[in-house]
Amino acid sequence: MSDVVKDKWAALRQATPARIALGRSGAGLPTRANLEFQFAHARARDAVHSGLDLDALEAELAPLEVIRVASAAPDRASYLRRPDLGRKLAEGEAEKLNARPVCDVAFVIADGLSSAAVQVHAAAVTHAARARLEGLSLGPVVIASQARVAIGDEIGAALGARLVVLLVGERPGLTVADSLGAYLTYDPKPGTKDSQRNCLSNIHGQGGMSYEQAAGKIAWLTRAALERKLTGTGLKEESGALGVENAPLIDGA
């Protein structure tokens, strides 16, 4: 008779990235589970503290025009301690964006809390989304360093953009450290409330939203926002339900 005990949790663990039924060794976790946790924690810390390779990102965005700007946070430590500084441009940075032709849509890439997510995913999502916005005038791509979501409001206003699509590294977790988010804001300007934005999250290659899925949703939301003249709680993303990103809009959605 076999003494092997069947692991009743094995099937469930295969269905979720959550850490469940890890077992125990005495009063603690088994060595394997403990080491995996420490590795995941180290990846999350690296994602938060590591800098963005701006030259590499700009090369991946070619041949698009790119403008680099910096937030009011002078370094990473200040950025993490002072979220307010990451929401506004440093003095004189807005001048880089002035005297530009007005545009329908401006793409902004902000390092956020995971430079790893931006490094890996932002260029691909930008190219895929812009390819689906035929017929709209698109401004240059702005890369913002030490930046948070609200910095897109000041950038969009300086560019005269009707709508800003901001891609940002999301707060890393212990399962995924390189998840990208996308925030869409109609009529961007300083003081815009978070409730006036639409957000897509979990864009990554570990079971998250694919580049093409994200691009389709961004394109649908962009066209819907420009037609309805709003983003946020009044605009519900329906591209998945309708099947295509350019489907006719439904009043009252």
Side-chain angles (χ1 to χ4, degrees):
M1 183 175 178
S2 174
D3 292 329
V4 176
V5 178
K6 183 178 179 180
D7 184 354
K8 298 179 180 180
W9 293 92
L12 186 56
R13 278 200 298 271
Q14 294 299 315
T16 175
R19 289 175 169 81
I20 58 173
L22 299 178
R24 63 191 176 94
S25 177
L29 289 171
T31 300
R32 180 184 180 88
N34 189 33
L35 291 175
E36 288 177 345
F37 179 87
Q38 292 184 49
F39 177 66
H41 186 256
R43 287 189 63 205
R45 287 178 59 88
D46 286 347
V48 170
H49 292 282
S50 297
L52 183 63
D53 187 336
L54 296 173
D55 292 336
L57 178 58
E58 186 168 339
E60 291 181 0
L61 288 166
L64 303 177
E65 180 186 1
V66 174
I67 300 175
R68 300 183 189 182
V69 297
S71 79
D75 50 48
R76 196 65 178 173
S78 300
Y79 168 80
L80 294 173
R81 289 196 303 265
R82 293 281 306 276
D84 58 311
L85 296 180
R87 298 185 181 115
K88 59 185 179 181
L89 290 170
E91 185 176 353
E93 292 293 272
E95 297 175 4
K96 299 178 181 178
L97 308 171
N98 294 335
R100 311 283 310 181
V102 296
C103 58
D104 291 320
V105 184
F107 278 76
V108 177
I109 298 175
D111 47 7
L113 289 171
S114 176
S115 59
V118 172
Q119 204 78 66
V120 175
H121 309 301
V125 173
T126 299
H127 285 301
R130 288 172 66 102
R132 293 172 181 249
L133 296 177
E134 184 177 357
L136 298 177
S137 59
L138 305 179
V141 178
V142 179
I143 301 176
S145 301
Q146 315 294 8
R148 296 180 184 266
V149 172
I151 202 170
D153 302 333
E154 187 176 354
I155 292 172
L159 288 173
R162 295 174 63 199
L163 181 140
V164 160
V165 178
L166 183 137
L167 304 178
V168 63
E170 296 182 317
R171 185 185 305 274
L174 294 176
T175 300
V176 179
D178 63 345
S179 180
L180 189 74
Y183 290 80
L184 290 83
T185 307
Y186 179 78
D187 188 24
K189 54 184 177 293
T192 298
K193 299 177 181 178
D194 287 339
S195 60
Q196 296 173 274
R197 314 185 201 281
N198 285 86
C199 173
L200 302 174
S201 62
N202 291 312
I203 304 170
H204 57 81
Q206 301 174 62
M209 194 183 304
S210 71
Y211 299 157
E212 288 304 314
Q213 288 174 324
K217 292 177 182 292
I218 289 171
W220 192 94
L221 282 167
T222 295
R223 295 183 187 279
L226 293 175
E227 179 172 317
R228 299 178 185 177
K229 297 181 172 56
L230 59 84
T231 47
T233 56
L235 179 62
K236 305 302 181 183
E237 191 272 312
E238 299 168 336
S239 65
L242 297 175
V244 291
E245 71 275 9
N246 295 331
L249 304 185
I250 300 176
D251 291 338

